[in-house]
Amino acid sequence: MNQMASVAARPQVLLSSRGRDWSHLYADLLAMPGGPVTVQDSRQTMLSVHVGAPLRVRCRIGDGPREDRLLLHGDIDILPAGASGEWFDEAPTTALVLRLAPDLLPRAAAELGLSRASLAPQVQLRDPRLVHLAWAMRAELSASDASGRLYADSLGMALAVQLLRGEGAPAAAADSGRGLAPAQRRRVAEHIAAHLEDDLSLDALSRVAGLGATQFKTLFRHSFGLPVHQYVIRRRVEQAKLLLLQGRMGLAEIALAAGFAHQSHMARSMKRLLGISPAQVRKAAG
């Protein structure tokens, strides 16, 4: 929310993607103090999702009329890049503020076959798909074992596609169960296996397959039976298990070698998928 020109008091950051390696989408859960908020010439497309009890708000987007409205949990305000807006919250509240990197909407538009990526300002939008994505982002911010960059990339692209579809962009044609071609599947699987210790991104894996990110996500799931980020976590758990059974490395070293952020991340992922801890895997090896 660093693009606010004025606010009655500074919001308190409750959760944030800052410090995480999110490349196309940024999120902050903010405790707003109430009173005036002004955004001037936003550099990024911004979404504000109301969290909590109903709240009376007065707002104006650009040169439009002032509106008095009752904001409900899950209501979304959209402020496109370059637009300005004014709000007056009658009481303290909580907002999940999402900001899209400038290149995200154009990339989504290209994959949808659109010549331009334009959005209109909207206030008090009710969109179940957008809200579902927003709550997934909030859960990722608060998770002790965050899924990481791949998951954030996937959420960001899904958000951009849904925003454009809300503007009348055509939905993708039914895929009828088709997956990646055998050569694509092999290249992607080999690339993931060879780079588990790296910070894999959706963009990089899409390029390996020679596809756009949106199409790649769909075809990958048909081919492997899992979303990309879940497949990568499973492969990392498998690699960590193999290294544990070999017994030649310490737990912290194994976690990094398998691509986990730290030893605790490895332990939580292994417990969730295998039902046992790294120490129990090592003990079973005798």
Side-chain angles (χ1 to χ4, degrees):
M1 210 71 169
N2 55 2
Q3 297 171 34
M4 287 184 181
S6 65
V7 60
R10 293 196 64 81
Q12 177 187 357
V13 179
L14 304 176
L15 298 169
S16 180
S17 64
R18 296 168 194 173
R20 305 183 184 212
D21 193 18
W22 291 22
S23 53
H24 300 290
L25 173 72
Y26 313 98
D28 294 293
L29 184 67
L30 302 176
M32 305 296 294
V37 177
T38 301
V39 178
Q40 296 286 356
D41 299 324
S42 171
R43 296 186 299 276
Q44 299 165 316
T45 295
M46 301 175 64
L47 285 75
S48 178
V49 187
H50 178 59
V51 181
L55 174 75
R56 291 206 170 275
V57 175
R58 297 192 298 275
C59 71
R60 182 171 72 176
I61 303 296
D63 297 327
R66 293 189 182 277
E67 300 181 26
D68 292 334
R69 55 197 175 95
L70 182 66
L71 204 61
L72 303 177
H73 183 71
D75 281 353
I76 303 172
D77 289 351
I78 300 175
L79 194 67
S84 300
E86 300 173 2
W87 290 262
F88 188 93
D89 299 337
E90 292 192 351
T93 185
T94 303
L96 177 64
V97 178
L98 309 174
R99 294 175 289 118
L100 280 61
D103 67 329
L104 186 54
L105 282 173
R107 288 175 54 233
E111 294 195 23
L112 291 171
L114 304 177
S115 58
R116 53 186 298 187
S118 60
L119 296 177
Q122 296 192 63
V123 293
Q124 208 167 5
L125 174 67
R126 301 292 295 183
D127 185 318
R129 293 184 180 180
L130 286 178
V131 168
H132 175 78
L133 292 168
W135 296 157
M137 293 169 204
R138 179 186 177 186
E140 179 69 2
L141 291 179
S142 60
S144 58
D145 54 345
S147 299
R149 182 179 177 181
L150 263 177
Y151 186 51
D153 284 352
S154 298
L155 289 176
M157 179 57 72
L159 181 69
V161 168
Q162 184 58 30
L163 284 169
L164 292 173
R165 286 180 179 164
E167 294 290 313
D175 193 77
S176 69
R178 184 171 64 89
L180 296 167
Q184 290 174 315
R185 179 187 171 107
R186 184 178 63 254
R187 286 200 308 271
V188 170
E190 290 175 351
H191 183 88
I192 290 173
H195 296 85
L196 282 175
E197 74 281 7
D198 297 337
D199 187 14
L200 293 167
S201 70
L202 184 63
D203 288 346
L205 293 178
S206 301
R207 288 194 294 270
V208 170
L211 299 169
T214 302
Q215 185 183 22
F216 172 72
K217 284 172 51 185
T218 302
L219 298 183
F220 183 98
R221 185 163 190 161
H222 283 312
S223 290
F224 291 92
L226 291 168
V228 184
H229 71 279
Q230 289 186 18
Y231 174 84
V232 171
I233 288 292
R234 287 181 180 272
R235 291 305 310 271
R236 285 175 170 157
V237 166
E238 291 169 5
Q239 178 67 5
K241 180 181 176 182
L242 176 63
L243 294 174
L244 285 164
L245 293 174
Q246 291 174 353
R248 295 194 292 265
M249 300 167 62
L251 295 182
E253 190 178 4
I254 288 173
L256 295 179
F260 292 102
H262 42 69
Q263 183 177 331
S264 296
H265 186 200
M266 176 182 71
R268 286 190 293 267
S269 298
M270 188 166 286
K271 185 72 173 179
R272 185 174 67 250
L273 293 177
L274 302 182
I276 56 176
S277 68
Q280 289 171 313
V281 172
R282 175 155 282 178
K283 183 178 179 180

